[in-house]
Amino acid sequence: MLLTEKQKIALSKFMKMVLSRRTAKALSELIGFEVVMKISQVSLSPLSKLTTELPNYSQEDIVSIHQMFQGKIEGEALLILNYSFAVMLTNLLRNSSPDGILHLNVSACEVLTEAGNILLNSYGSMLSTLMGCQLTFSIPTFQIEPLPDLVRSLILSKNEMRYVLIVDTTFQFYDNSVKGYLVFVSGVIPLSCLIKGIEASIDLAILNC
């Protein structure tokens, strides 16, 4: 299951719309100063290849905020950061705090989970509109673990061939930036429906210009 160039462009436009219109604004309101979110690349690969797609994330534990969704399409959505970037992002999100942290604590987990919840819910809301269906989301969970362990758990959670849509994302705060990944995991049929729906919405937008 590969993406055509048209599909890559359509998915990139869709994700930029998600992040720029809703998520960045919601995060800015949460922390009290402007957040800019940028998309540099969108790719699709078998879930088993996720460790190969994120080679720089094998050097340390990764942090993930994880939500399951179900409805007309089903799957799982995650925000993935390597540990050091998660610490950096926490300090940027807690800009008003006098002391930065060196290691994630309970408070940091809460901050990151809230940010991840905003990010993933923004995606889900637009996805529901795009597909014309209501999706139900689980409560977000926070996890720190090696990337291979995360991939193994995602593979074992469903008895089917699963694919992962990877969105290379950068959080921009003034002169600082933190890189992470939005990851969407699902089976072949749900992802095919998603891609077709996004293509149709982009084509419609072009016709209405």
Side-chain angles (χ1 to χ4, degrees):
M1 187 178 185
L2 299 174
L3 290 176
T4 64
E5 194 60 33
K6 179 182 178 182
Q7 289 169 339
K8 288 181 180 180
I9 293 172
L11 285 168
S12 294
K13 287 183 177 179
F14 174 71
M15 292 311 304
K16 287 176 182 177
M17 184 168 55
V18 172
L19 296 178
S20 63
R21 290 185 180 179
R22 297 190 178 187
T23 312
K25 180 180 179 181
L27 287 176
S28 298
E29 291 174 351
L30 174 68
I31 62 180
F33 60 92
E34 185 179 13
V35 179
V36 176
M37 303 190 69
K38 299 179 178 179
I39 299 294
S40 58
Q41 185 176 348
V42 177
S43 59
L44 182 67
S45 70
L47 175 56
S48 59
K49 302 294 184 182
L50 182 58
T51 51
T52 304
E53 294 293 327
L54 309 181
N56 295 331
Y57 277 45
S58 62
Q59 306 303 316
E60 58 181 319
D61 284 348
I62 58 100
V63 171
S64 65
I65 294 86
H66 182 186
Q67 279 188 318
M68 299 182 67
F69 59 88
Q70 58 184 356
K72 186 176 180 180
I73 63 172
E74 297 182 355
E76 297 164 69
L78 303 94
L79 170 63
I80 296 179
L81 304 155
N82 68 25
Y83 189 90
S84 57
F85 278 175
V87 171
M88 185 186 305
L89 180 58
T90 301
N91 286 326
L92 291 170
L93 290 171
R94 299 169 68 228
N95 186 52
S96 59
S97 178
D99 300 312
I101 61 170
L102 298 177
H103 303 282
L104 297 178
N105 52 30
V106 174
S107 176
C109 295
E110 291 175 350
V111 170
L112 289 173
T113 300
E114 178 62 21
N117 188 43
I118 290 173
L119 190 64
L120 298 176
N121 275 324
S122 292
Y123 169 78
S125 177
M126 293 197 70
L127 186 60
S128 296
T129 301
L130 182 68
M131 300 299 293
C133 65
Q134 186 66 39
L135 297 179
T136 302
F137 288 83
S138 67
I139 297 173
T141 59
F142 181 95
Q143 192 73 29
I144 301 174
E145 60 191 329
L147 182 58
D149 288 358
L150 172 63
V151 173
R152 193 176 302 112
S153 67
L154 291 172
I155 291 175
L156 294 176
S157 65
K158 294 285 184 178
N159 186 26
E160 63 174 343
M161 179 64 177
R162 307 186 85 196
Y163 284 81
V164 56
L165 178 66
I166 307 167
V167 183
D168 193 327
T169 309
T170 299
F171 300 81
Q172 185 73 46
F173 304 78
Y174 296 112
D175 296 328
N176 298 297
S177 63
V178 176
K179 184 175 180 179
Y181 292 93
L182 278 171
V183 174
F184 306 105
V185 182
S186 196
V188 174
I189 294 177
L191 278 175
S192 296
C193 292
L194 168 60
I195 292 169
K196 289 178 181 178
I198 293 172
E199 278 189 330
S201 70
I202 295 297
D203 289 342
L204 182 62
I206 292 173
L207 288 173
N208 291 331
C209 289

